[in-house]
Amino acid sequence: MKMAHKFKTLDRAPVYVKVCNAIEADILSGVLKEGALLPTEAELCVQFGVTRSSVREGIRLLQQSGLVERGAAKRLVVKSPKTIEIAEAASRSMALGGATFGEVFETLAMLYPEAARLAARRLSSEALDALCAVRDGLRDAPPDAADEIVDYAVEFFQQLASGLDNRVMLAMLQSLNLMIGASLQLVIDQTPNAHERILNAQSEIIEALKNHDEARAHAWMTKHIEDLRRGYVVAKVNLDARIL
Amino acid sequence: MKMAHKFKTLDRAPVYVKVCNAIEADILSGVLKEGALLPTEAELCVQFGVTRSSVREGIRLLQQSGLVERGAAKRLVVKSPKTIEIAEAASRSMALGGATFGEVFETLAMLYPEAARLAARRLSSEALDALCAVRDGLRDAPPDAADEIVDYAVEFFQQLASGLDNRVMLAMLQSLNLMIGASLQLVIDQTPNAHERILNAQSEIIEALKNHDEARAHAWMTKHIEDLRRGYVVAKVNLDARIL
DNA sequence: ATAAATATGTTGTCCGACAATCCTAATATG
DNA sequence: CATATTAGGATTGTCGGACAACATATTTAT
C-alpha cells in the first residue's frame, strides 16, 4: 500500500515577519557579525523580492529587539545586545507587567547579598578601586542632597555588579537597579541620616571585600538593603504598589 | 535686561516612533487596559493624522515589545507582558549577546539555592503538591529516556520558581531555565545515573521544603546544581562556549 | 431555522512619488 | 597645497492610493 505524500504545513507568516526572521537568522548564525552594515532598504527589496514597506516593517521588528540599529549615514548596523539594554528592556517589561516594589525588593534582598559574597571571593583590585571611588564621592557629597545620594547608592550597586565579570548576573542586577533607582529618590529625602547610614554600609562592605571576608560582605549587604527597605516603610510607600 | 526666550529642543523623532510612544503611553497610564481593542489602522491614521505606513511601522515596534498583539478578528488587543515572555526575550537577548554556559551556571548556582531557601519558608501546599507530581513523574519515567528526564528536571525548577509568588524572581529564574534547558539535553544522556541522582535530589529538596528546613533545602539545591554542572564537564562541553 | 451566498470591513502587500537628510566628491578660495 | 564651500548623489522618512486575501456580519435561499 502506497502512503499518500504528506506535505509540510505551509509557512503562512506575513512577509515582514519573514524578513525579520531571515535577517535575524543570519545574525545569529554569525554570517552577519557585530558592526556589519546591512544592505540598504532598496537593496533588501531586490534581495528578498518584496516591497520597501514590508522590508521596513521587518526592520522595525528587528530594531525593537535591539539586534540592529541605525548607525552613521543612517545605515543599519548589526548590534549584539549589551547587558544594560537587556536590563532596560526587562525592567521596562516588568513595570508594564505590574511588578510591585515588594517583589523587586525581595529579589534585591536575595540577590545582592549573594553577589557581595561572590565579590569578596573574586573582585579585581580595579573593581575595588571603583567601589572606593564611589564611596569617596558619597562621603564628600552634601548630606542633604538626596539626588546625589541616590546616584551614589545606585552606582555602588552598579560597580559591584560590573566587577563580578558575569554578564548574565550583571543583566539581572542591573535590571533590579533600574527598577528601584527611580523610586529611591522619593524615599531617601524622607529618611533621616540616610547619608551617614549608606556611607557606613558601603565602607563596611568595601572593607569586607578587601579582606575576602565573604560572610561579612554578605551580612553588611543584607543590612544595607534592609535599611533601604525600611526607608520605603518610613516614607509610607505601599510595597504592593506598582513600580514606575 | 530682557532674557531672550529659550525654546525647547524640537522633538525630531520619526513619526512611527511617535505613534509607538503615544500608544504605549496610553497603555502605561491605564487609559488602555489589558484586553482593550485598539482602533483599526485606518482609524489610527485619522486620529494621529499620518499615513498607514507610519502607523503600521509604529505597530511593529509595539508588537515586538509584547505590549500589543493581534487577537480575534485580527484586531489589535492590549496585552501586559507575562513573566514567561519577559524571560524569553531576556534569554534570547543574552544568547545573542554571547552569554556562556559558565556565566549561566554560575548565576544558576547562586540563585536557585536561595530560591529553595525562600521556598522552604513560604511555599504553599499546592505548590508543594506540584513539585511532588513532577518528582513522581520523573520516578516513573524510563531511566534511559534522556529527553523526558530533562523535561522533568527543568519542570521541577519551573514549579519551584512559580511557587515563590514573586514575578520578578520568577522571570529571572525562568530565563535561566530557558538558557540551560536546550543544552541540558546534550548533557544528560551522557551522564551515568542521571535519572537516579536527579530523582534523589528532588526528593531530598521536597522533604526539606515540607519541613521548612531552609538550610537543608539550600544545601540540596546546591548539590543538585553542582551535579548538573559536573555533567557538562563530563560531557566535555566547553563552559566558555556560547549558549544556544 | 439552518445553510449558503453575499456584502462589508480590515489587514497584508504592492507601487510610485517626493522632501529631508546625510555622505561624497568636486570645486573654489585662501 | 590645504581647507572651506558647494553641488551631487544616495538613502531614509512620509505620503497617497490601490488591490488581493481573509474574516466577520448580513442577507438570501432551501
Side-chain angles (χ1 to χ4, degrees):
Chain A
M1 183 176 93
K2 197 148 172 273
M3 175 75 81
H5 181 67
K6 282 251 185 68
F7 289 101
K8 282 183 293 188
T9 60
L10 295 175
D11 179 9
R12 284 164 53 84
V15 175
Y16 58 83
V17 173
K18 290 184 188 169
V19 168
C20 170
N21 290 338
I23 299 178
E24 178 183 306
D26 271 7
I27 294 178
L28 193 46
S29 77
V31 177
L32 287 169
K33 300 181 204 312
E34 164 147 32
L37 286 182
L38 262 66
T40 64
E41 294 179 357
E43 186 86 12
L44 290 172
C45 290
V46 311
Q47 291 189 19
F48 287 122
V50 299
T51 42
R52 203 150 76 92
S53 319
S54 303
V55 166
R56 284 176 65 84
E57 290 186 36
I59 290 176
R60 298 295 159 256
L61 251 23
L62 278 178
Q63 203 167 300
Q64 193 70 359
S65 45
L67 276 177
V68 115
E69 147 187 86
R70 291 243 174 259
K74 295 186 169 182
R75 293 289 294 277
L76 286 173
V77 302
V78 176
K79 199 188 58 163
S80 76
K82 302 284 169 265
T83 58
I84 183 63
E85 290 157 342
I86 299 173
E88 279 166 1
S91 55
R92 239 177 54 93
S93 296
M94 299 254 209
L96 293 170
T100 66
F101 284 118
E103 289 173 307
V104 174
F105 247 102
E106 188 174 56
T107 312
L108 207 65
M110 165 180 285
L111 264 184
Y112 262 105
E114 292 301 314
R117 175 175 282 155
L118 183 60
R121 205 176 315 152
R122 75 144 172 255
L123 212 61
S124 70
S125 63
E126 299 85 46
L128 239 170
D129 290 345
L131 281 179
C132 287
V134 174
R135 193 259 324 261
D136 295 345
L138 174 61
R139 189 183 47 206
D140 301 340
D144 54 347
D147 51 350
E148 264 191 77
I149 296 179
V150 171
D151 286 347
Y152 282 118
V154 173
E155 185 62 19
F156 190 82
F157 284 127
Q158 204 77 355
Q159 287 299 332
L160 184 78
S162 301
L164 294 177
D165 196 35
N166 180 323
R167 284 166 295 180
V168 176
M169 232 176 260
L170 176 58
M172 293 184 175
L173 295 172
Q174 278 180 330
S175 95
L176 290 173
N177 291 347
L178 289 170
M179 287 192 271
I180 55 152
S183 64
L184 221 46
Q185 185 71 53
L186 310 171
V187 171
I188 284 200
D189 53 2
Q190 295 191 36
T191 309
N193 304 329
H195 181 268
E196 181 192 334
R197 292 223 295 271
I198 294 175
L199 182 59
N200 182 45
Q202 288 188 0
S203 298
E204 291 284 352
I205 292 170
I206 288 176
E207 207 54 39
L209 297 183
K210 253 182 202 155
N211 301 328
H212 302 290
D213 186 340
E214 297 181 22
R216 187 163 161 227
H218 183 279
W220 269 100
M221 183 59 88
T222 304
K223 208 176 289 194
H224 182 32
I225 290 177
E226 172 54 25
D227 215 32
L228 291 179
R229 202 188 65 81
R230 209 155 30 223
Y232 279 80
V233 178
V234 170
K236 297 207 173 77
V237 173
N238 181 6
L239 286 179
D240 289 335
R242 291 177 50 162
I243 60 175
L244 320 172
Chain B
M1 183 176 94
K2 196 145 173 276
M3 176 75 79
H5 183 66
K6 283 253 185 65
F7 290 100
K8 282 184 292 190
T9 60
L10 295 175
D11 179 10
R12 283 163 51 85
V15 175
Y16 58 83
V17 173
K18 290 185 188 169
V19 168
C20 170
N21 290 338
I23 299 178
E24 179 183 305
D26 271 7
I27 294 179
L28 192 46
S29 76
V31 176
L32 287 168
K33 299 181 204 312
E34 165 147 32
L37 287 182
L38 260 66
T40 64
E41 294 179 358
E43 187 82 14
L44 289 173
C45 291
V46 310
Q47 291 189 19
F48 287 123
V50 300
T51 43
R52 203 150 77 93
S53 321
S54 303
V55 167
R56 284 176 65 83
E57 289 186 36
I59 290 176
R60 298 297 157 253
L61 252 21
L62 278 178
Q63 201 167 297
Q64 193 69 358
S65 45
L67 276 177
V68 114
E69 152 187 83
R70 290 242 175 259
K74 295 187 168 181
R75 293 288 296 276
L76 285 173
V77 301
V78 176
K79 200 188 58 163
S80 77
K82 302 282 169 269
T83 58
I84 183 63
E85 290 159 343
I86 300 174
E88 278 166 0
S91 56
R92 237 179 53 93
S93 296
M94 298 256 211
L96 293 169
T100 66
F101 285 118
E103 290 172 306
V104 174
F105 247 102
E106 189 175 57
T107 312
L108 208 65
M110 164 181 286
L111 264 183
Y112 262 106
E114 291 300 316
R117 175 174 284 154
L118 183 61
R121 206 175 314 152
R122 74 142 172 256
L123 212 61
S124 70
S125 64
E126 299 84 46
L128 238 170
D129 290 345
L131 281 179
C132 286
V134 174
R135 192 263 320 268
D136 294 345
L138 173 61
R139 188 184 48 208
D140 301 340
D144 54 347
D147 51 351
E148 264 191 78
I149 297 180
V150 170
D151 286 347
Y152 282 117
V154 173
E155 186 63 19
F156 189 81
F157 284 126
Q158 205 77 356
Q159 286 300 334
L160 184 77
S162 302
L164 294 177
D165 195 36
N166 180 321
R167 286 166 296 179
V168 176
M169 230 178 259
L170 176 57
M172 292 184 176
L173 295 172
Q174 277 180 329
S175 94
L176 290 173
N177 290 348
L178 289 170
M179 288 192 269
I180 56 153
S183 64
L184 262 183
Q185 185 72 53
L186 310 171
V187 170
I188 283 199
D189 53 1
Q190 295 191 36
T191 309
N193 304 329
H195 181 269
E196 181 192 333
R197 292 222 297 268
I198 294 176
L199 183 59
N200 183 45
Q202 288 188 0
S203 298
E204 293 283 353
I205 291 170
I206 288 176
E207 207 53 39
L209 296 184
K210 254 183 203 153
N211 301 328
H212 301 291
D213 187 339
E214 298 182 22
R216 187 161 161 229
H218 182 279
W220 270 99
M221 183 58 89
T222 304
K223 208 177 284 193
H224 182 34
I225 290 177
E226 172 55 25
D227 215 34
L228 292 179
R229 202 188 64 81
R230 211 158 26 227
Y232 280 80
V233 178
V234 171
K236 295 208 175 78
V237 173
N238 182 4
L239 286 179
D240 289 335
R242 291 178 48 161
I243 61 175
L244 320 172

